[in-house]
Every structure is written in C-alpha cells, then in structure tokens.
C-alpha cells in the first residue's frame, strides 16, 4: 500500500464530501492506497502544504490550478467531483425586504469566505454579470462557518456568499431566507456560467502526477467509484456512512443539506472543458494578472485517468 | 482560608458560572435569549459531549497529541526564551543591535506563518510546536531579560568581588534572581503554549484537540467546540499546577507574604 | 596578574583620585577630591570621617567597582582598570544572596574557586561557628537579624582569605562585646598572614585599637583626606585592654578634636541647621 | 556604544538579513532553493509592493484601522490587566478562588472565539479589539500580579507604619514598585496587541492590514503577505518606542546599570 | 481609638510575650520568651542586648507588625490586634521608597495625612535641613550614603510627630559627632511633647545618655528581659557632657558587666567557638 497525504481545505464543507466518503467506504484501500486526510482551515493552506511537499494531493477547488498557472506553477487536476461550484449568494435575514436582486447589492457590504478567495472572485463575477460595479460593493471576509452565520444574523453584512452546510443551517433558522443565486443547482449554474462549472477536484503538481501515475489512477478510481455510489444512494444512507464528527449533532439538518447538495456531485468525475474556460473567465474578470497571463487551460486538468476508469468499466460490462 | 473552604468556594464559583450559562442559554430575559444556544450551546450538552468523548475513548488520542505539542512548545519556548534572555541581558551591545528585530518578529501574526512552518516542518506535530514556541518564547524572553536587569546591584557587586566569572554569575546570581520573573512568565505561557498548539491544529492537522474543535465548528456543533475548550482548559490547569509546584520548590528562600518581617 | 606581594609596591595606592557622580537632573556631584592614600602590604589602615564624606566611595574605587574621574588607583603596583580580584570586600549594605542559606552564602566563595562542595561546606560551617552563628547555618538571610547578617557577610569574605581586605563598617550593627570578639578575630587573621586591610568605621576607639594608621576625611562635597596618624601601639593588642593605654588616650583625643571640627563643618556645608 | 554606531550596526544587520533572504530565494544552494520564492517571495518584490502601497495610498486606510484596533487593544488590555492584577494581588482570597478560572480562560484559543466576538461586537473594529485585549490582558495581568507580590517587605511595612491606607499603598508603593514588571509585560504585549488585531481582521473584516494580508494570501501573492508583515512590524517598533520613552520617564529613579553603586 | 494619653495606661505594654518563627524546614525558633515590658507615657526606654537576641522583634511586636505566639501587647490600654498607627517606626534596615527623592520620602507621611503637598514639601525641606541633608533634597535613595539614608528615614518618622516612637538603631551608621547632634535633636523633640520612646541601640553610653530606663535582654534563643535600670540623671541633659557624670559612669559599669556575661553566654549558645 502506498501512503498518500491528502490535504483538504475545510473538510466539513459538503462540497468536499466525496473525498471523505471514499475513505469511509474503503475505496482508497480497495485501490491499494493508504490515504491520510489532513484538514486545513482553507483551500489555500491545503494547497501550500502540497506546494511545500508536506502533502501529496489537494482536495479543493479547481480554480486554484488556474490561479497558480498565472504564476507559472504547474498544477493539474485529475478528477473533478463537483460539477457545480455550490456557492449561494444569500441575503442577510435583516435585509430580506430590502434586497431582492443582485442589482440591489450596489453600495452594500457583502461577505465572502476571505478576501481574495474563490468566493470573492465568484461574487465579483456575479456582480459584473448583473451590471453592478464590483468596486461599489464592500467585501468583508466572514469565513464559512459560525462566523458567517453570526455576521448574517447580526446584519453586519447585507449578504454573503455561503456554502453548505452553512446555507442550510441559516435556512433552518430563517424560514424566508432569500437566496439570490444558488449554484448548488443546475439551473442557476447554467444561467450564471452557461455550462457546468468545476468546483471540488483532486489536483496536485503536474510533475507529481507524471511520476506517480499508478497512485493517481488509483485515487481516480476511488473517487469515481464513490461518485457512483453517491448517486445510487439516498442522503440518509450517505449520512449514515459519514463519521460523527462530520455530521455533527443535528443529523436531520445534515441530511437536509446533503439533499440540497447532492445534484452538485459529478457523476463521471470528468472535467468539462467549457467549465475550465468558465473558471478562467470568472477570474479574468477581476484579476488583471490572470487576464494578462497566457494560460494554457488544457494543462491545468487531465481527463486521462477518469477516462481510463470509465473505459475499464465499459470493458467489464 | 484553609484548603477545603477554598475548594468549596472554587466549586461554588463554577456552579454559579454554569448555572448562569444554563439560564441565559435556556430562558429568555426581556424577551430574548442573552446567549443564543446556537453560539453558546448549553452546559448540559457540553457535558454530554465531554462524557461521550471520554466514555468512547476518542478523546485520548487527540488529547495526547495536543499534550505532546503543548509540552514541547512550552519547554522549547521557555528554554529558548531563558537562554536568549540571558544572552541579551549579558551582552547589552548585541541586545541593543537586535532589539528592534526581536520586537518586529514578536509582532508577526503567527497564523500567517503557519504555511511556512508546514513547509519546513511538515504536517506532523512539529509545525504546531513551532507555532506554540513563537508565542511562548517571546513572553518568557522579555521577562527573563528584564528579570536579569533587575538583579540587586549590591548583591551583584558582592558576587563579582567574590570572584565569580560570567558562568558562575549566571548560575548563582542572575538565575535565582530572575526566577520569580521567569515563573511569572511561565504561568502566562502555559496557556499560550496550548493556544499555539491548538491554533496550529485548527489551521491544519490530522489530529488533536484543535482538530476536534475545528470539526465541530465546521458542522455547527457548538457543544463540541465548547467541550473541546473545556477539556483544553482543564488540561492547562494540570500543567500549570506542575509549574506551581516547581516554583514553590525553587523559591523556597523567599519570605512568605504572611510572615514577611520588615 | 599583579606583581607578587613580595616587592616594594603598595598594596593599595590611590593617587589624586577625584570621584564625580552624575545626578538625575543632569548635574554632577564631586564627592571626593584629590584623595591620595597608600596602604602598604600587611598594613592595617582605618578610615574615619563624617557621615556621607566618601568613605564607601573610596573603598569602591579600591575595589575597582567605580572608576575615578581623575587620578589613578593601583594594586600592588599594577594600575587597576577592572575589578580588584585580590580583594575581599565587606559591603556596608546587605549583600548576602537571599536565595542561599547562611552556610551556602559562606561556602560560595570557596566553591567558586573550585573547592569540592563538601569540603567547602565543612570549612564554612567552621567559619559560621567562629562568627557565633553555628546554629544558624540553615537560615536564609531574611530569617536573620541585622547583626547576624553582617556576621555571615564577614565570614563570607574572610573564608576566602584574600590578600587585601576592604571592610565598610563591618561591626556597625553589633553590640560592643561581639564587636570586640570580631575585632580580635580579624586581628588574629591579619597577624597570621599579614594582609593589607582598609577599614571604615565610625568608632574612633575601634579604629585606633585595630589599626596601624588612622586616616580621616573631611566632610563632603569634595571631601579630602585631611589627616593621617600612625598608631604607636605595640602588637599584639587586646582590644578590650588597650583602651586604657596612655598613648591610646592621647591619640584618641588628638584625632577626636580634629574630627569634631570637621563634622561640624560638614554639617553646615551640606545644609544642616 | 554611541547612537550612530548603534544605528549603523542595526542597519548592517538589516542589510545582511535582506541580502541573505535575497540570495537564498534566488540562487540555488546544493541544487535547491533554500527559501522557495513561492513561500518567501524576495526582498525586491516585497519592497516594490510596499512602495506601491504607499505611493498609491491604499495602505493608509488599512494602516489606520489596524492602528486604532491595536492601540485600543493595547490600552484596554493593559489597563484591565493592571487593575485586575492589582485587585488580585490585594485580595489574596479572591485571587485564590478565581485563580484556576483565570488560567483556564487564558488557555482558550482566541481564534475559536471569533464567532462569539463577531456575534457580540459585529465585524467592525471592536471584535478585533476584543481579540487583542484577550491576549494583552493576560500578559499584563500575570506580570502585574507578580510584581505587586514582589514589593520589598521592609518598604511595605514602612509605608503601612506611615499610615497609608489601601489606596495610598497602591499609589505610593505597589504601583511604582510594580512598574518595571508592568513595562516588561508591555513590551511583550505591544506585539501581541497587533497580532490580535491582525488575526481578528484575518478572520473577518472589511479593512485593515490583516485584510490586506489575507487578500494577498488568497491570490497567492506572497510578496503582498510579506509586505503586509513588514509594514506591521515597522509599525510595532513605533509603538514600542513610545512605550520605552514613557518607561524611561517613569523609572528615572532607578540606578542605571552602568552607574549602579554597590 | 485608644484612650487618650491622659489616663494612667502605659503607652506600650507587653505582657508575657513569646515570639516563635517558623523555619523553612518546618522547625520552629522561639526567639523571645515571656517578655514583659511597659513603657509609660512620655517615657524614654532604651533596649540593649547582644546581637540577634530579639530587640527588633520586640519593636515589631509593639508596632503590630508581627503577632506574639503567646502573651499580649497593648497600646494605651487597648489591646493591639492590628498595626499600631499611633507609632512611628524607624526600621533597622533600609526602608525608604527608592522611587521618591529624599524630599518626597520625608513629605509623604504628611501628604498621606492630608496636608497640602506644597506645605508638606516646605516642612519636609525644613526637616532635611535639621538632619543635615538640606542639600540632598532631590537625591533618590540610591544616590545617598548609608548614613544619609538613615537620616532621611529619621526625618521621615519624626516629621509625622507620632505619639510613640520605635527606633531601631537609628544612629548606627552615623559618626560619633553626628550621633550626638541627632541625639540632641531627638531629646529636644521628646521633651517638647513628651512622647513614649522605645529605642534600640548597641551603644550603652548612648542608651544611658538618652533614656529614662535601660532594659537589657538576654541572648537568644528564648531571649528574656533580664535587667531594667532607672537612669538617675537629671534632665535636660547634654549628651556630650553627661558622660563625665559620676552616676553615669557607675550605671554604665553596672550594666556593662551584666551585659558582657550575657553576650559571652549567647555566643556559646548560638554556636560560637
Ligand atoms: N550614585 C550616587 N550619585 C550621587 N551621589 C552619590 C552617589 N553615591 C554616593 N553619592 C554621594 O557621595 C558622597 C559620599 O558617599 P559615601 O557613600 O562614600 O559616603 P560614606 O562616607 O560612606 O558615608 P556613610 O558613613 O554615611 O556611609 C555622599 O554625599 C553621597 O551622597
Ligand atoms: N523570619 C524569621 N525566621 C526565623 N528566625 C527569625 C526571623 N526573624 C528573626 N529571627 C531570629 O530571631 C532572633 C531575633 O531577631 P532580631 O532581629 O529581633 O534580633 P535583634 O536583637 O534585632 O538583633 P540585631 O541586633 O542583630 O539587629 C534572631 O536570632 C533571628 O535569627
Ligand atoms: Mg558608607
Ligand atoms: Mg535588630
């Protein structure tokens, strides 16, 4: 068995569920891997651990690959488990009456997980799509968890980009919560990005992939199998597989959040090239550095290993 | 005040604190909960969580990791602080030259440095230890440095006239004289060592109390967060008690406040 | 190292020493002016003078603890630039290590010099007995009376058997009787291997009884050495008896009248009314 | 060592440090870069970033926010620490009863408390101030507490015999005697006040140096992160210098080490 | 408040006082045993005794700073349970506030009692002049000599004009001449409004010259009061002259012979050799 250290940027986020679930289902072991999951506060910390060599693979948002390509770092994703990004633009319960559309966010304070993070770029993209000048909106870092919930309930921010389980949590506490855009769903993702948009993926340094083909293939197998398993089971069954510390006290809430999130998980693990382009568009929108960099998108992902799995599956059939 | 009265009073304070917490998270006052349970949980749930951790035994592994990290951070940081403090105090020129840089480093937000520690020390306990050390070190350092400068000039002159060399001065004069300063800083830094370890785990780790807390926080399990903090706090009291025992032993020569004769 | 005691150089030699202190307000205070004082090898010199004239300051100069603003100090002919490590100094103020017991306080001087701890302790117990504190070996300084602390200090200095002794009011807080016992102890030691002793006291009788020469200082500021008497008494002396000697009484009278004027002058100068 | 030599040496240290940093991030040693620029940037880029911030003026707003937060945290934390320290030192019973709780609170990881601060104090400066205060308070508190216990028993007895009441003892004995302890802790806590403010901003804020740093970190702009930390450090030196000036003024009565007479 | 000085109660009255100290090793040391001592209102009592016998300890008891293990202390008839705030205490050890100048050190007693600072300063400047330190008003204690510090302490206590004075070797570090000046100063004050004074000294002549009664203590451990002499000298006295008086010399001789034995005994008891 080969030992692999997998860095996750905030494992509690449902967007990363397949990574943990694969471990619970024993998929990694089946594929001949001994995977240790290390949980980081955020995606960029996880990525840095991989860049520094203390972890092997990141389970995080694909956009980092594009982001770092602009800095001349070769990162490549090899299996994408989220086909929608899962961000929701939520209005603070105190502002439900006042803010009805994205346009109303002009001159307001909007929370993101952290300035400079994916949620920040996503917000700016949505704003400019809706014709609002992103610079007219005050961006506040509020994190993803309880801080974000506190900020929203307090009205310290007028709206925020949130992910699950925070969205469902807030929904549970505020029945008439207004969500301006919900990319956990196919509909909103399509309308915002015009296609699928890769969220969580496994990626790592390109040279590592080149030198660890076997392991990469094994991980891909594990994840793709897990994705299949997810779509073949109910949220309750999935929740039952997850360890307590990921589910928390409120199992019903977890199941509810999972139900909201399920459509977001990819069925194949493949990267949609249009999705990669969408990511580049989102980031070019507000980062001149990325806009001006000549990024070869095809180097930032590979479907080779996923295709290999599917081929084998086809063969079996 | 004898020991049992003291203990009784301490328990009383704890009971009052817990009762207040319970009441404020359960019964609305002036129409609203002063401590919304979503953010503050409540004592019963926290207690249940703690009991569960201990009865299932999951906690031990995490506690052990955090214990090792904290103790290492505390020991390394204090020893480092004592040494550098001594060195600076005895080399006033070096001290003057490096003084601004030491202060600059003390002002760096350790949280931002976490990735660098991970780079250098990997994901194991050492990167957490490093974070704790950067907190403990400065607290101990500044106190030891000052403590050595406070040595009574008469006693120092006497020691020098008795023919002590630098090393002997350290051992027989500066060290015992700076001890009470050092212990004062150790009481502060016990807490900070644990904070360093936990924050390190919180930022990225495969195990430890910080990890537990982060997991709990991620799923909005406030009871878990508070339970983690309680275990942590209990655990600091234990380490601190050890420090106090050593302190009593080493400072036996001082007049007790009660018997201090003029 | 300074040249050995054998040669003709003075044990302590202060030449035209000025001492100037800086005050908190930036001003300066000239405590001692043009002090010239020689202490020959194996000579016992006492300094007497009005309070605050600069006696302790002179001892500090001889110990190398402070540097003169002008003039020079030399020890056995070698100019003193750093500490005078051939001297043992009994300070006027309390200078015991508060974190060491009486026994350890006395033993430390020997341990520093490399003696095995057990042996140092044994010798130091002997010394404590000699100064009358055998039963107080395990006390920390804060548990001793003023006079007891002073005696521990005395043992601490004497046990090291230094070539030069600087003693600042060593018997101040002792009763008259103990004073004599300690004085005899000191004389015994001194006559056994003739050390150079510079001894500050306020007790003129004591000064005369113990020393070969009595030096008196004028009142400050800018105190000077204004008198220097050879003591014409035979050795060995018994301190208790000698006070009845005729030449003792005469010398006492002579120095006393000089000193008295000086104190009155000093009292006027430093703002007394 | 006079002032200009000192300054020259300090600058020399800075230059050597920067040169080392530059070399290690630029030229491989034994075939690899000891400080990979992805984590350490390099001095030139950092300098450019700093210059850019100042020339465009974006930095001022953030610097101001952080300044206000740090100073408030520092002032509130120290005053609190001094008061509680005094109170505990003078009420040994209260102190004995609350002692374990104080130590427990000192061991709570402040980062975890951020949501509670946000809940109570919003996302404005006050939640950052609170974070800073929780760091500064304990450092000052433990030192003041110990400092008061270290008052010379003779001086204290004298003061009591002169008829001082508790308030007068505070003012004329405990306070001046504990000052050097307090200042030692203040030097440590200047740094921690800033760390508190920055970490607070880092956890959620609309502006401040921590915000800038986090923004830079989000887009992997290490130069920005380091530039932020440099500005921060420079800024701590300034506050610390002020503390030192006050210290010199208040401790004028002490013998200088150089002139200390036995 | 204690009953006023007018009634028949003694100013200080110690009855069968035992003092026991706890040692670091858990043992106990009985310093003073069954000490009974009365100081009448407007009486000047001197305590003399071998070093370490328990003189300072007795003063601490009278000041209320330590509590007796047995027996009782009362002040003007009222049992003493806390500090004796009617007393001024000049400590044996250095007890000035190091962070205050000489002037402020002296003024503080008045300021505490509520006097306006300017007035307190003016009075304290007067007092500094009286003890011969007018020119040293702005010095911090570490810039003063041992004798100067003692005199600042003296001024600090006397300026408050307390009803009871406890003085522990107040003139120890002073030269003979200054000692006399200070002694006369003290006598003047005392005779102006007859305070009760309890005065520890090692100088038997000084004790006799100043006081109405001389009390001597035996050597410790378990020191007792073993002698109590009325001084049959007329007042007012001039300290310098009185030493030639016949009854002075006789009394001195009488007390001295008793004391001498006691010291030798103490020396043997406490492990001297
Ligand atoms: N650090 C200092 N700063 C300023 N003045 C000082 C300092 N040290 C001593 N002096 C002054 O120098 C003079 C001499 O002091 P010194 O201690 O030598 O006197 P002394 O003769 O030993 O007196 P005493 O018999 O009282 O001990 C005094 O007037 C004292 O005030
Ligand atoms: N805190 C203490 N613990 C133990 N023993 C003590 C303590 N304080 C004083 N003693 C002992 O009590 C005895 C009396 O002490 P005290 O200070 O009263 O003596 P004294 O008569 O004032 O002596 P001196 O003339 O030397 O000042 C001494 O033997 C001393 O060792
Ligand atoms: Mg002197
Ligand atoms: Mg005494």
């Amino acid at each position: 068995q080969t030992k692999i250290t997998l860095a996750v940027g905030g494992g509690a986020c449902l967007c990363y569920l397949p990574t943990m679930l694969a471990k619970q289902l024993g998929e990694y072991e089946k594929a001949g891997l001994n995977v240790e999951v290390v949980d980081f506060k955020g995606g960029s910390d996880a990525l840095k651990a991989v860049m520094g060599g203390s972890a092997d693979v990141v389970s995080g948002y694909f956009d980092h690959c594009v982001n770092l390509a602009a800095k001349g770092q070769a990162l490549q994703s090899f299996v994408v488990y989220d086909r929608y990004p899962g961000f929701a633009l939520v209005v603070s319960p105190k502002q439900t009456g006042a803010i009805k559309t994205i346009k109303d966010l002009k001159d307001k304070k909007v929370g993101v997980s952290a300035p400079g993070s994916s949620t920040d770029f996503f917000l700016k993209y949505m704003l400019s799509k809706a014709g609002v000048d992103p610079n007219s909106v005050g961006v506040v870092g509020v994190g993803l968890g309880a801080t974000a919930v506190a900020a929203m309930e307090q009205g310290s921010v007028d709206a925020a980009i949130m992910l699950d389980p925070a969205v469902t949590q807030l929904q549970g506490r505020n029945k008439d919560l207004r969500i301006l855009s919900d990319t956990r769903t196919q509909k909103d993702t399509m309308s915002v990005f015009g296609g699928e948009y890769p969220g969580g993926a496994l990626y790592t340094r390109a040279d590592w992939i080149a030198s660890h083909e076997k392991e990469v293939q094994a991980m891909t197998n594990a994840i793709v199998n897990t994705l299949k398993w997810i779509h073949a089971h109910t949220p309750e069954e999935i929740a039952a597989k997850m360890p307590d510390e990921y589910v928390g006290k409120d199992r019903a809430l977890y199941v509810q959040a999972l139900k909201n999130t399920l459509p977001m998980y990819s069925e194949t693990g493949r990267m949609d090239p249009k999705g990669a382009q969408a990511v580049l568009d989102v980031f070019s929108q507000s980062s001149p550095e990325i806009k001006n960099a000549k990024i070869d998108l095809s180097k930032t992902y590979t479907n080779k290993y996923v295709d290999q799995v599917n081929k084998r599956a086809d063969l079996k059939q | 005040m004898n020991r049992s009265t003291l203990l009784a009073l301490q328990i009383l304070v704890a009971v009052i604190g817990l009762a207040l917490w319970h009441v404020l998270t359960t019964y609305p006052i002036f129409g609203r909960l002063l401590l919304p349970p979503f953010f503050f949980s409540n004592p019963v749930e926290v207690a249940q969580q703690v009991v569960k951790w201990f009865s299932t035994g999951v906690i031990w592994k995490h506690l052990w990791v955090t214990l090792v990290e904290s103790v290492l951070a505390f020991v390394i940081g204090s020893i480092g602080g004592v040494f550098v403090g001594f060195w600076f105090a005895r080399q006033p020129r070096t001290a003057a030259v490096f003084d601004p840089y030491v202060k600059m480093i003390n002002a760096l937000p350790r949280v931002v440095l976490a990735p660098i520690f991970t780079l250098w020390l990997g994901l194991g306990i050492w990167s957490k230890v490093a974070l704790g050390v950067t907190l403990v070190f400065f607290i101990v350092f500044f106190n030891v440095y000052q403590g050595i400068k406070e040595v009574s000039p008469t006693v120092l002159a006497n020691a020098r006239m008795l023919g002590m060399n630098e090393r002997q001065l350290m051992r027989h004069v500066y060290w015992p004289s700076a001890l009470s300063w050092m212990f004062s800083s150790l009481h502060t830094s016990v807490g900070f060592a644990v904070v360093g370890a936990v924050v390190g785990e919180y930022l990225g780790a495969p195990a430890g109390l910080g990890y537990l807390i982060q997991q709990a926080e991620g799923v909005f399990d406030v009871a878990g967060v508070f339970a983690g903090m309680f275990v942590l706090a209990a655990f600091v009291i234990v380490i601190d008690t050890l420090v106090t025992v050593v302190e009593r032993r080493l400072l036996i020569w001082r007049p007790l406040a009660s018997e201090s004769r003029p | 190292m300074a040249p050995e005691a054998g040669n003709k150089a003075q044990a302590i030699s202060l030449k035209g020493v000025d001492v100037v202190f800086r005050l908190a307000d930036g001003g300066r205070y000239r405590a001692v002016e043009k002090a010239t004082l020689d202490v020959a090898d194996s000579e016992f010199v006492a300094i007497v003078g009005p309070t605050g004239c600069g006696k302790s300051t002179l001892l500090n100069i001889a110990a190398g603890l402070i540097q003169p603003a002008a003039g020079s100090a030399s020890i056995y002919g070698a100019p003193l630039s750093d500490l005078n490590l051939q001297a043992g100094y009994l300070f006027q103020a309390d200078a015991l290590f508060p974190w060491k017991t009486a026994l350890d306080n006395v033993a430390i001087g020997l341990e520093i010099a490399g003696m095995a701890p057990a042996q140092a302790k044994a010798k130091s117990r002997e010394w404590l007995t000699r100064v009358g504190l055998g039963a107080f070996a395990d006390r920390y300084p804060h548990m001793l009376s003023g006079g007891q602390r002073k005696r521990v200090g005395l043992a601490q200095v004497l046990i090291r058997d230094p070539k030069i002794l600087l003693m600042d009011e060593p018997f101040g807080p002792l009763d008259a009787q103990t004073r004599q016992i300690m004085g005899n102890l000191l004389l015994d030691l001194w006559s056994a291997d003739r050390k150079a002793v510079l001894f500050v006291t306020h007790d003129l009788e004591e000064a005369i009884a113990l020393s070969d020469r009595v030096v008196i200082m004028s009142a400050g500021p800018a105190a000077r050495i204004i008198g220097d008497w050879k003591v014409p008494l035979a050795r060995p002396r018994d301190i208790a008896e000698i006070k009845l000697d005729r030449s003792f009484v005469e010398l006492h009278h002579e120095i006393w009248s000089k000193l008295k004027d000086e104190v009155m002058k000093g009292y006027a100068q430093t703002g007394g009314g």
Side-chain angles (χ1 to χ4, degrees), chain A, chain B, chain C:
Chain A
Q1 273 193 343
T2 329
K3 187 164 189 273
I4 301 276
T5 307
L6 182 61
V8 188
C13 180
L14 281 180
C15 52
Y16 300 130
L17 175 117
T19 332
M20 312 313 158
L21 187 59
K23 175 135 184 134
Q24 292 303 116
L25 294 175
E27 288 291 346
Y28 296 129
E29 269 171 40
K30 249 183 270 167
L33 297 174
N34 173 13
V35 171
E36 184 188 33
V37 177
V38 181
D39 207 349
F40 284 86
K41 184 76 186 121
S44 65
D45 286 326
L47 183 150
K48 281 183 185 156
V50 167
M51 291 297 294
S54 39
D56 302 313
V57 179
V58 189
S59 172
Y61 271 55
F62 168 71
D63 51 40
H64 287 321
C65 296
V66 176
N67 216 324
L68 279 181
K71 295 206 172 294
Q73 304 283 346
L75 288 171
Q76 201 171 43
S77 87
F78 53 87
V79 56
V80 180
Y81 48 75
D82 292 341
R83 54 184 166 179
Y84 316 139
F87 304 132
L89 180 50
V90 186
V91 176
S92 157
K94 295 225 157 117
Q95 297 288 338
T96 314
I99 298 175
K100 300 206 165 62
T101 65
I102 296 183
K103 279 196 163 30
D104 296 334
L105 288 177
K106 193 166 185 309
D107 299 325
K108 294 277 193 285
K109 273 197 290 184
V110 182
V112 298
S113 69
S117 65
S118 313
T119 50
D120 190 4
F121 284 100
F122 175 73
L123 170 70
K124 294 203 166 115
Y125 182 74
M126 297 240 278
L127 288 172
S128 42
K129 255 201 132 183
V132 179
D133 176 11
N135 292 322
S136 73
V137 172
V139 171
V140 183
V142 294
L144 287 170
T147 331
V149 175
M152 289 288 267
E153 297 204 331
Q154 272 275 309
S156 323
V157 289
D158 303 310
I161 305 275
M162 300 177 86
L163 285 100
D164 254 330
V167 184
T168 311
Q169 177 70 246
L170 198 61
Q171 247 167 344
R173 295 164 57 80
N174 301 276
K175 291 300 166 230
D176 51 353
L177 192 72
R178 188 189 300 281
I179 298 181
L180 296 177
S181 173
D182 188 350
T183 63
R184 291 175 297 179
T185 63
Q186 186 181 25
K187 181 173 148 287
D188 279 12
T189 308
M190 290 301 175
S191 79
V192 175
F193 302 109
E196 288 188 357
Y197 183 101
L202 291 192
Y203 64 90
T204 182
R205 298 197 312 268
D207 56 338
W208 196 88
I209 294 185
S211 60
H212 293 78
E213 296 237 3
K214 209 173 105 256
E215 287 82 359
V216 172
Q217 185 64 59
M219 298 212 64
T220 312
N221 294 352
I223 295 292
V224 172
N225 289 344
T226 308
L227 290 173
K228 297 221 160 84
W229 191 92
I230 290 175
H231 288 289
H233 290 79
T234 63
E236 287 79 6
E237 285 165 327
I238 297 172
K241 284 286 178 193
M242 292 301 282
D244 279 352
E245 66 237 51
Y246 287 101
V247 177
K249 289 261 151 28
D250 194 346
R251 185 165 287 269
L253 180 98
Y254 188 80
V255 170
Q256 180 58 43
L258 202 51
K259 201 173 276 163
N260 292 341
T261 314
L262 269 187
M264 165 179 153
Y265 300 123
S266 167
E267 282 166 2
T268 60
R270 267 185 69 88
M271 168 70 85
D272 175 356
K274 281 213 300 279
Q277 185 60 47
V279 172
L280 185 57
D281 291 345
V282 168
F283 281 79
S284 303
Q285 180 75 45
S286 38
S287 165
E289 198 191 344
I290 293 178
K291 191 170 179 184
N292 300 333
K294 303 229 170 339
I295 298 172
D296 181 357
L297 267 184
S298 66
K299 289 229 171 78
T300 59
Y301 64 90
T302 170
N303 280 328
K304 180 173 139 196
Y305 302 96
V306 180
D307 290 343
Q308 192 73 31
V309 186
N310 293 333
K311 216 180 288 163
R312 230 183 282 149
D314 291 344
L315 280 181
K316 262 189 225 156
Q317 287 175 358
Chain B
M1 196 156 49
N2 62 26
R3 290 204 116 181
S4 51
T5 333
L6 179 62
L7 201 67
L9 280 175
Q10 286 179 339
I11 292 172
L12 185 72
V13 170
V15 169
I16 292 179
L18 290 174
L20 258 183
W21 179 17
H22 187 74
V23 168
L24 293 182
T25 50
T26 317
Y27 305 101
I29 289 171
F30 301 127
R32 64 196 208 88
L33 282 174
L34 283 186
L35 302 180
F38 178 68
F39 292 99
F40 293 93
S41 189
N42 71 56
V44 180
E45 277 181 30
V46 172
Q48 279 166 352
Q49 179 68 68
V50 173
V51 169
K52 192 166 142 218
W53 275 341
F54 279 94
S55 58
T56 59
V58 273
I59 190 88
W60 294 116
K61 170 182 138 203
H62 298 288
L63 199 55
W64 174 247
V65 171
T66 304
L67 174 69
V68 171
E69 289 164 358
S70 316
V71 170
L72 282 174
F74 179 64
V75 171
I76 297 177
S78 321
I79 293 183
V82 168
F83 268 93
V84 180
F86 264 70
W87 180 47
F88 265 45
R90 298 308 300 143
Q91 304 281 339
R93 280 147 197 249
T94 319
V97 173
F98 285 98
D99 179 77
Y101 302 108
V102 171
K103 280 167 183 160
M104 279 169 77
I105 299 174
N106 181 35
L108 298 184
R110 321 302 198 263
V111 176
V112 180
L113 299 179
I116 293 180
F117 291 136
T118 316
L119 171 70
W120 280 338
L121 303 166
L123 285 171
I125 62 167
W126 289 105
S127 54
K128 284 82 199 171
V129 172
L131 209 72
V133 166
T134 61
L135 295 171
V136 171
F137 173 83
F138 287 97
I139 298 174
V140 177
F141 163 77
F142 281 106
N143 257 28
V144 169
Y145 182 43
Q146 187 67 27
I148 288 173
K149 294 202 287 187
E150 297 276 316
V151 169
S152 146
T154 318
V155 171
L156 180 58
N158 190 20
R160 292 176 63 213
M161 289 304 297
L162 288 175
M164 291 196 193
N165 60 26
E166 195 67 8
R167 213 177 44 76
Q168 291 166 330
L169 282 179
M170 283 297 151
R171 173 151 163 235
H172 295 290
V173 181
Y174 292 115
W175 170 248
S177 163
L179 266 188
S180 61
W181 286 82
M182 192 190 80
F183 278 108
S184 166
S185 68
L186 292 189
H187 288 297
T188 328
S189 46
V190 168
F192 277 91
V194 177
V195 170
V198 170
V199 170
E201 290 163 3
Y202 189 79
L203 295 176
L209 282 177
Y211 171 86
L212 271 190
I213 292 178
Q214 197 201 351
Q215 291 301 331
E217 208 172 28
V219 294
F220 300 96
D221 172 11
V222 215
V225 174
F226 274 77
M229 295 206 287
F230 267 94
V231 174
L232 205 69
F235 158 70
V236 165
I237 300 293
V238 175
I239 308 188
D240 190 82
T241 311
L242 293 180
V243 172
T244 308
V245 169
V246 176
E247 179 178 10
R248 289 252 167 83
R249 185 64 208 81
L250 284 180
L251 296 183
I252 193 169
W253 55 271
R254 342 196 99 224
L256 294 182
S258 59
E259 59 152 273
S260 73
R261 70 191 292 260
Chain C
M1 279 276 21
E4 257 315 283
N7 73 16
K8 283 276 132 328
Q10 301 286 348
I12 305 174
S13 164
L14 309 182
K15 293 222 185 316
V17 166
D18 282 13
V19 181
V20 177
F21 290 108
R22 265 199 307 177
L23 302 180
D25 59 9
R28 271 149 208 283
Y29 181 78
R30 178 171 300 263
V32 175
E33 195 173 59
K34 303 231 173 58
T36 298
L37 175 68
D38 285 333
V39 180
D41 196 21
S42 75
E43 194 178 23
F44 196 125
V45 176
I47 307 185
V48 183
T51 160
C53 65
K55 304 179 293 298
S56 305
T57 304
L58 274 195
L59 256 55
N60 284 340
I61 293 271
L65 284 167
I66 57 179
Q67 306 305 325
S72 70
S74 48
I75 300 300
Y76 290 121
L80 187 62
S81 59
D82 197 8
L83 277 196
N84 175 0
L85 287 179
Q86 302 185 65
Y89 189 170
L90 180 57
F91 292 84
Q92 182 176 16
D94 228 345
L96 297 180
F97 304 108
W99 42 83
K100 288 187 186 289
T101 59
L103 188 72
D104 291 339
N105 258 295
V106 177
I108 185 71
L110 296 179
E111 284 179 29
I112 283 168
M115 187 180 282
Q119 199 186 344
K121 294 252 159 73
K123 274 198 78 170
S124 117
R125 206 173 280 280
E126 235 170 71
W127 266 97
L128 279 179
T129 311
R130 242 185 258 191
V131 297
L133 292 172
F136 293 83
D138 294 332
R139 298 280 187 99
Y140 289 101
H142 77 94
M143 301 170 163
L144 295 172
S145 81
Q148 289 169 334
R149 281 200 288 264
K150 201 74 184 184
R151 283 181 282 156
V152 175
L154 193 66
Q156 189 180 54
V157 171
L158 294 182
I159 197 175
R160 292 181 59 234
D161 194 23
K163 288 246 23 98
I164 299 177
L165 278 175
L166 306 172
M167 323 218 77
D168 202 346
E169 302 186 29
F171 308 148
L174 302 181
D175 59 280
Q177 193 59 37
T178 309
R179 228 170 230 252
Q180 287 184 2
I181 301 173
M182 295 296 123
N184 282 329
L185 176 68
L186 185 60
L187 280 190
D188 286 352
L189 277 179
W190 171 76
S191 54
D193 63 340
R194 319 279 289 188
K195 302 166 189 305
V197 181
L198 193 53
F199 188 97
V200 173
T201 178
H202 283 307
D203 186 337
L204 187 52
E205 292 190 358
E206 186 175 81
I208 300 173
L210 291 173
S211 61
D212 296 325
R213 263 166 63 211
V214 177
V215 168
I216 75 171
M217 289 182 76
S218 72
R224 292 157 170 267
I225 291 178
I226 50 163
D228 193 333
W229 283 267
K230 276 222 145 21
V231 178
L233 299 172
R235 305 254 184 199
R237 306 175 188 161
D238 181 299
I239 308 177
E241 322 269 273
I242 209 166
K243 294 183 186 169
L244 308 172
D245 192 299
R246 256 237 350 238
S247 39
F248 181 99
V249 176
E250 269 165 24
L251 186 61
H252 187 277
H253 185 79
E254 195 181 325
I255 303 182
W256 177 241
S257 55
K258 176 101 187 183
L259 199 57
K260 193 161 159 185
D261 296 350
E262 208 36 56
V263 175
M264 293 314 295
K265 207 156 69 191
Y267 201 65
Q269 265 175 29
T270 57

